[in-house]
Structure formats: C-alpha cells, structure tokens
Amino acid sequence: PEAEKIVRKLGRVPYVADPWLPVTTMGPLLVMAHHNPRAGDLWGVPPFLTLRVLITPDQYQKTRKDLVQRFGQLPIAQQNQMEGVQAPRFADMGLEGAFEWLLASYPYEPAEVTKLRGFFETQKEKHSNLGVSHFNTVQRHLGVVLQHLVSGGRTLCFSPAEAQRQTFFPLPLLERHTVYPLYIGKNAVFMFSESGDCYAFEDEWLSMGNAAVKIVPVQADPAAIRDAINRAGATFDSGGVAKLDKSTLTASVSGNESVIDILPDEMGRVNPASPNHSAEELVQWALFTSIRCRASDLHLEKFYNLARFRARMDGNMKTILTAPESMLNRFVALLKNYAGMNQSRQECQDGRFAVSVGARRVDIRVAAVPTRREFQKVIMRFLDKQDGVKRLSDFNLGQRQIDILTRVMQRDQGLVLVTGPTGSGKTTTLYALLNSVNDDGVNIQTIEDPIEYEIEGINQTQTNPHYGLDFANGLRALLRADPDIILIGESRDAETANAAVNAALTGHLVLTTLHANDSLRAVSRLMSMGVEKYLLADSLALSQAQRLVRRLCNYCKQPIQVPDDIQAMMARQGVISQPLVQPIYTAGGCQECHGTGYAGRVALMELNEISTELRDLIEEGAPMSAMRACAFKNGFFSLYQEGLMQVIAGHTSLDEIKCLAYTAA
Ligand SMILES: [Zn+2]
C-alpha cells in the first residue's frame, strides 16, 4: 500500500508487460522488484529514486497478479511530470543538501514538508553536524537513503535473504574473499563484495583452472555477506529467496544493458497492418524484420500523421512499418526504456540494448533526438556481433602489408599502435588483427569502451566508470589472467600508456589505439605523454595509421588519362617506376550511388614496422625528420602513397586523398 502510494506519486502506467514491480518503500525511495536485473520499465519513476531488488520468478508472478488487480480498480496516471527529472549532483551536496533537494523537488504533500522540516530543525538544534542516524530520526530510513544518494548508490546494505542459493562457486572460496553472488546470469555474475571489486577472488577462481566469468561487483556490508555464505552452507531446505521485508534495503543493480528476447514464432503471427497489436509487439516486429533483412539502421520518426519505421537495407531506406501518430510516443518510450534512457523529450540521448533472436544476438546502439514540437526521432544502429568482424583479407591490402601484419601478430611481445581519427575504422582493424590469431592456444584479453563486437574465444571487458573500472586498472586486472595478447581500447592518458608499454615489455603482445595524425607522430605523442624513450624503443613493434576514403562507384566512375604533372608526382612519390598507361578514375554520379559518384569505403593503412635503425633513433630522441627519412629508406609507404596506389588500382579518386598530401614522402 505504501509502495502503491509512492508509485502513484512518482510514476505512470508501465509500458511493458513485465515491468519492475513496486513492492515496498524505503523512506522516500521506492523499492522495486524483478527476477531479471536487466529488466527495463520502472513505471517512469526516476531510477535514482528507486532501489531494485531481485526476487524469484514465482514471487514475481504472484506479486504481479496482486498489482494488476489493485491497479485495475484504480488506474494510475498515463503521464507523470517526475519522469525525466534528472538526479542533481548529490555527491557534492552532502546529506543536508540532499535533504533540501528532496524537500524542494520530491512530490511531498505540503503537510509532510512542514513535518519533516520541523523534525529536521529539532535535530539541528541538538547537533552541530547531522549524520546518518540523526536523519534516521527525522524519518525512518531517511539517513540511509540520503547516504545512498550522496554516495551515488554505492553504499549498500542488503538482506542476505535476497541473494540466491547457488552451487556455482565453492563456499570456502566465497568465504575467503567475503564475496557472494547476488545473481548468476548468462553473461555476467553480479557479486556482492565488501570492497567494490573482486580482483582477488577472480584471481583465485582463475588459478583453480576455471573459465573466466564476467563479474560485476556490487558493494555490500561484509557482515551481511558472511551471513549469506552461512545461510548457503546451512542445510535447511527453505527456498533461497526469502520474503521481502520492509526493513531490508537491498542492492540496486543499475547501468546494465538490457537484452530483449524476440521469439521468431511470435513475430510470425504479427500482422503489421492489423490494429490489434500492442505497441511492444509492433516495436519488436520492426526490430525483428530489420535484423532478418540485415538492415544496418532502423529509424523511428513522425511522418505526416503517422509513426513510421524505416530500415536501411543495402544503403536504401525502406519503410517497413507505419502506425497511427498516436502510437509514436509509446514506441519512443519503449525503445528508450530498452536502451536505459530517461524519458525526457527535450534532450539528445545515447544508449544501447541487445536483441536476441533465436541463437543470434545483435547489439543496438540507440540515439534519441528531439524534433519539432515535442516530437522525437529514434535512430538505431545494428552492430551484429556474429557477422561484424572482418578478416584481414576483407581489407584490400597489398601482400607487403599482409606480410607485415602477420609477422607482427606472431610476435611474443611488443606494442602495436593503431592510430587515426574517430570513424577511421580503427576498431574494425583491431578486431580483424585479433581474429587473425584467435585460436584455442592463445589467451586474448581486452579492455574496451565500448565493446563493439563480441568475438568468440576472446575475453572482453567493458570499462565501467560506475565501478571505477578504467583502462589502466582494467589492464592491471586482466594481466592476472596472464594473457598472450591484450587489446587496450584506447591509451588516452599517461597512466594507461605507461601500463601498456610495461605490459608490452613483459611478455605480452599489446594492441592499443591512439589519437595521432600518422604513424610517426604516434611515437612522439607517446613520448609527450611521458613514456620513456628507451622503454618505447624497446617495446614498439608496429605503428599503424589509417583513414577511410570513399570508394568510387563501379557503375559510373569516369576513366581519365593521367596528365604529365600527375605522372611526375607519382614517380616522385615512388608509386610508379614507369609512366602509367592505364587510366585512373574520377567520380561520376548515377542512380546506384544516388548521384554522389561513390559507394562504400576503402581503408588506407600506413604500416611502420619498427626497424633496428628506427629503434635507435627513437631511443636517441631523434627529430621527426630523421625518423621519417629512416622509415622511407626502409620501404615505408605513407598514407598519401597508399592512397595513390588505391587511385592507380581504380578504387578511389585523387580528390579523395588530397587531404593526406601532408604525409607524402
Ligand atoms: Zn554511380
């Protein structure tokens, strides 16, 4: 009843059939329960005003039935202005500041505000500095709640009763590290831990010869963890999950990507032209259809008086579903829920979720943008984790380039730098490199942000600022698994760069990306980040730079004879040894390429395999010009030269590579 009161105040009707269920309250917070920690809909209640707990599927169904009955008699509002309320920076506010925020922004009744303020003033008169217990006197649990808000949801105590019974991890191991699994899912284990990390536990788990598991640490009170372990060890055979008790506060698990299960059989029964389907069925049908047709994008937008889903298939946008305009907001809300966004209509937001269709899992990146008059547009980009990874042979590389890459990837240790601006396809290259050596005998670990594709056989970790997991300490953690090959998504600070170099000097092949204009500037960039010259000289195996340029449309590219001045320039650049007799091409424009003259992209890669001479120059701190001269002497080709070779091969035009001339020989 208390929960019902609060959810009516804070929430609106749930948009999905299996939302989190309001079960109890904790001061001003609403405790919501579900059997799946990745579930979506919170009834529009701002996530920071909820605590989420896990219950068994049976309990879930029972509670849900009760709620349906109660809300059936007295329906709840369709909209709530609390939805979209953003959490202020509680961390900077302190307990009192957080309390003041609640008084001002939480939908308390005026009488409640007066009462709370009264109790607060009384406490303030008695004590100079108000702590958690003083606020608990103002209102039951209020102090704990304020502490929870101020700490960003990281201080948690929980009732061990809620942790599920498990036989997956041996109890003595859990006991030694004072950790206990809150939830063991298909892709991750949510683990209660006293310290907020589980490195030592993981370490021992792996050393016992077990397969790596992805652990999401959840901080909890050590006494409660020990209690959970004891309960698990006891022989009584009551169910592992006890009844929710009003006095217990349990862990909130948030920030996790949700996975939407779509059943192909069910989708087969959806008739998109029929008005009898729910918003959720239609949204899932649109996702399902896009995935089945291998679309790359799906857009949801208003079109005249319709809500329209358009999918991009082979480059063309096709309308796959239309519905009355009145459905638009429901569609948008559902997709935002899937993607873990808030429901504010005024801001641009990014998020992601995954869809599983049969055995297939597709990751979807979502952007929501406001359009005219309170309408919103949602753009989804499909990242197919099974088909997305390219092979080295998919790039149009020359034999010379393939030889260099193969040689480098066979090394026992060393540093491989992949550089280029955002959108130059660095990630695609890295995955292709990893995939080229990915087999049973090789231990490959990554730390990435974000994980764009999942590759079978590779242990991938996502950075997570919420748990303080960044590239540098993620790398430390994964070194414990003694990998042969490590991918560090990006070396964006001195700490990460130095850690990468150290790993590359101690028996690991380390791949990482760097923002730099070309492969030689990457070297000086690392030194300016504070990496010692002699360490870099010893570790660096390959510095690579790449760009994507547009590929000429094969249907309409125009042959031109190469004029003399271009011939001379090409000869000077060393890409031709005698005058070119065949034509090169320039952009045309036809229906196939929508009049642009280009279709698809070509990757240009400059590969600088570090020779002994170059190593000496790096160690001496020689100027860039000396390093360049040395590289060219050893058969290095710049981005511009690589571009010219693609022009000669007829793949792109001189116009496309003009901007790379600064890297010329
Ligand atoms: Zn064309």
Side-chain angles (χ1 to χ4, degrees):
E2 195 60 27
E4 189 183 331
K5 220 167 84 192
I6 290 204
V7 83
R8 285 185 190 283
K9 249 190 226 176
L10 295 176
R12 44 114 177 114
V13 281
Y15 289 152
V16 298
D18 58 343
W20 287 83
L21 304 178
V23 286
T24 179
T25 62
M26 177 90 198
L29 302 188
L30 185 62
V31 179
M32 302 190 87
H34 207 289
H35 57 87
N36 172 10
R38 288 160 181 267
D41 197 298
L42 287 169
W43 302 46
V45 179
F48 67 97
L49 292 178
T50 67
L51 289 167
R52 277 160 273 178
V53 304
L54 295 168
I55 54 179
T56 63
D58 290 349
Q59 285 178 323
Y60 179 87
Q61 291 310 338
K62 193 176 158 296
T63 315
R64 184 170 170 276
K65 215 185 277 169
D66 291 351
L67 280 171
V68 168
Q69 224 164 38
R70 232 175 305 148
F71 283 89
Q73 285 157 11
L74 180 55
I76 177 172
Q78 292 284 330
Q79 298 288 335
N80 192 305
Q81 57 183 18
M82 282 304 283
E83 182 157 19
V85 168
Q86 295 288 311
R89 293 188 52 86
F90 283 119
D92 303 339
M93 297 167 82
L95 298 181
E96 282 188 39
F99 178 67
E100 290 292 347
W101 184 89
L102 282 179
L103 286 184
S105 313
Y106 191 85
Y108 284 123
E109 303 296 329
E112 283 177 292
V113 174
T114 320
K115 204 173 86 187
L116 288 172
R117 194 172 280 290
F119 286 133
F120 171 67
E121 296 300 340
T122 319
Q123 287 295 318
K124 228 177 158 181
E125 275 164 32
K126 283 193 234 164
H127 312 278
S128 58
N129 202 352
L130 293 188
V132 171
S133 58
H134 304 126
F135 278 104
N136 280 341
T137 322
V138 173
Q139 188 195 355
R140 194 164 141 78
H141 297 313
L142 181 63
V144 184
V145 166
L146 293 175
Q147 178 64 34
H148 170 80
L149 291 174
V150 168
S151 70
R154 295 205 56 178
T155 40
L156 301 162
C157 48
F158 79 108
S159 155
E162 265 83 52
Q164 60 177 205
R165 285 288 277 279
Q166 62 88 37
T167 50
F168 191 73
F169 298 105
L171 283 176
L173 177 67
L174 298 175
E175 224 163 1
R176 264 199 297 287
H177 297 282
T178 324
V179 296
Y180 195 84
L182 165 67
Y183 177 84
I184 300 176
K186 227 189 303 178
N187 301 311
V189 176
F190 294 86
M191 186 77 91
F192 281 126
S193 143
E194 176 187 359
S195 62
D197 77 50
C198 296
Y199 296 146
F201 166 79
E202 269 186 277
D203 203 13
E204 192 175 345
W205 171 249
L206 291 169
S207 74
M208 291 161 72
N210 294 301
V213 285
K214 185 175 171 193
I215 293 184
V216 180
V218 176
Q219 210 171 356
D221 171 33
I225 299 174
R226 276 192 289 276
D227 207 0
I229 297 171
N230 292 339
R231 278 174 47 92
T235 46
F236 57 82
D237 63 355
S238 71
V241 178
K243 230 177 78 215
L244 274 166
D245 181 321
K246 190 170 167 142
S247 68
T248 58
L249 166 59
T250 60
S252 59
V253 178
S254 57
N256 295 295
E257 181 182 309
S258 55
V259 181
I260 312 302
D261 277 311
I262 295 183
L263 304 172
D265 287 353
E266 244 167 53
M267 290 298 119
R269 283 195 290 276
V270 173
N271 170 8
S274 149
N276 299 326
H277 294 297
S278 70
E280 180 151 41
E281 278 171 326
L282 292 175
V283 162
Q284 295 199 349
W285 186 86
L287 289 168
F288 174 74
T289 304
S290 312
I291 291 167
R292 208 189 43 193
C293 300
R294 306 199 153 270
S296 58
D297 304 74
L298 177 63
H299 294 200
L300 164 62
E301 65 215 337
K302 176 178 147 60
F303 182 68
Y304 294 102
N305 58 350
L306 295 172
R308 174 174 77 168
F309 281 95
R310 284 192 303 160
R312 189 190 304 278
M313 301 172 197
D314 301 323
N316 295 321
M317 296 297 284
K318 287 207 181 80
T319 299
I320 57 169
L321 175 70
T322 56
E325 183 191 320
S326 56
M327 301 284 276
L328 181 64
N329 282 339
R330 298 294 296 273
F331 291 152
V332 172
L334 264 169
L335 288 166
K336 286 178 136 185
N337 247 321
Y338 288 167
M341 299 173 177
N342 71 47
Q343 297 289 348
S344 151
R345 294 188 187 175
Q346 280 82 35
E347 51 183 319
C348 293
Q349 295 184 66
D350 291 307
R352 57 195 290 157
F353 65 95
V355 165
S356 86
V357 184
R360 202 140 156 247
R361 177 193 153 115
V362 179
D363 259 37
I364 303 175
R365 217 184 270 175
V366 189
V369 288
T371 57
R372 286 175 307 126
R373 291 189 293 126
E374 291 263 299
F375 287 110
Q376 301 165 87
K377 176 173 173 144
V378 179
I379 298 158
M380 286 154 276
R381 160 71 59 84
F382 297 95
L383 307 164
D384 194 318
K385 295 199 167 181
Q386 271 163 14
D387 301 327
V389 178
K390 285 194 166 189
R391 314 207 158 263
L392 282 179
S393 53
D394 296 342
F395 299 91
N396 44 348
L397 297 175
Q399 193 55 45
R400 171 183 51 87
Q401 290 169 301
I402 291 185
D403 288 346
I404 294 177
L405 291 173
T406 314
R407 197 156 54 226
V408 166
M409 289 307 290
Q410 295 301 330
R411 292 175 58 134
D412 298 334
Q413 66 172 43
L415 181 66
V416 175
L417 294 176
V418 172
T419 71
T422 308
S424 58
K426 283 177 295 198
T427 315
T428 313
T429 303
L430 285 171
Y431 283 137
L433 286 173
L434 290 182
N435 224 13
S436 73
V437 289
N438 180 17
D439 65 47
D440 283 350
V442 185
N443 178 357
I444 305 178
Q445 305 263 343
T446 77
I447 173 96
E448 303 169 65
D449 179 29
I451 296 177
E452 285 189 20
Y453 297 108
E454 267 167 24
I455 309 179
E456 200 65 42
I458 294 182
N459 296 306
Q460 295 170 283
T461 309
Q462 160 93 52
T463 59
N464 189 336
H466 184 67
Y467 295 111
L469 183 62
D470 58 20
F471 285 118
N473 60 25
L475 175 60
R476 272 198 295 281
L478 61 84
L479 280 174
R480 297 207 188 93
D482 194 28
D484 301 306
I485 301 178
I486 301 167
L487 166 67
I488 305 164
E490 192 184 335
S491 294
R492 59 171 77 124
D493 54 47
E495 195 189 358
T496 311
N498 277 305
V501 167
N502 283 332
L505 285 168
T506 51
H508 312 279
L509 186 63
V510 179
L511 283 66
T512 188
T513 70
L514 200 64
H515 283 291
N517 280 325
D518 61 55
S519 59
L520 280 167
R521 274 167 234 255
V523 174
S524 51
R525 170 107 177 82
L526 273 184
M527 291 196 266
S528 70
M529 282 167 80
V531 176
E532 290 290 349
K533 293 191 287 273
Y534 64 95
L535 293 180
L536 185 57
D538 274 354
S539 59
L540 194 58
L542 174 77
S543 179
Q544 180 263 25
Q546 75 178 52
R547 295 289 189 282
L548 291 178
V549 295
R550 289 183 296 169
R551 182 187 288 275
L552 282 166
C553 171
N554 268 328
Y555 293 93
C556 64
K557 61 186 183 186
Q558 307 288 319
I560 48 166
Q561 280 310 313
V562 187
D564 286 348
D565 56 330
I566 303 287
Q567 296 265 13
M569 181 272 284
M570 285 178 168
R572 217 166 39 242
Q573 290 294 331
V575 294
I576 52 172
S577 51
Q578 49 191 306
L580 207 58
V581 285
Q582 87 258 29
I584 60 171
Y585 295 85
T586 165
C590 69
Q591 215 169 26
E592 293 294 327
C593 58
H594 308 286
T596 59
Y598 295 94
R601 319 270 206 109
V602 190
L604 305 180
M605 268 186 215
E606 68 172 36
L607 298 174
N608 198 347
E609 196 179 11
I610 307 302
S611 62
T612 328
E613 291 154 74
L614 198 52
R615 178 163 306 141
D616 292 343
L617 290 175
I618 294 173
E619 189 160 356
E620 288 163 21
M624 181 76 85
S625 55
M627 291 200 283
R628 282 176 70 83
C630 171
F632 282 118
K633 203 182 86 202
N634 287 320
F636 163 79
F637 286 97
S638 70
L639 280 170
Y640 187 62
Q641 289 168 314
E642 297 287 356
L644 284 175
M645 287 185 255
Q646 296 293 342
V647 170
I648 293 167
H651 295 144
T652 192
S653 68
L654 278 174
D655 284 342
E656 276 296 289
I657 62 161
K658 225 185 266 165
C659 58
L660 297 171
Y662 74 94
T663 69

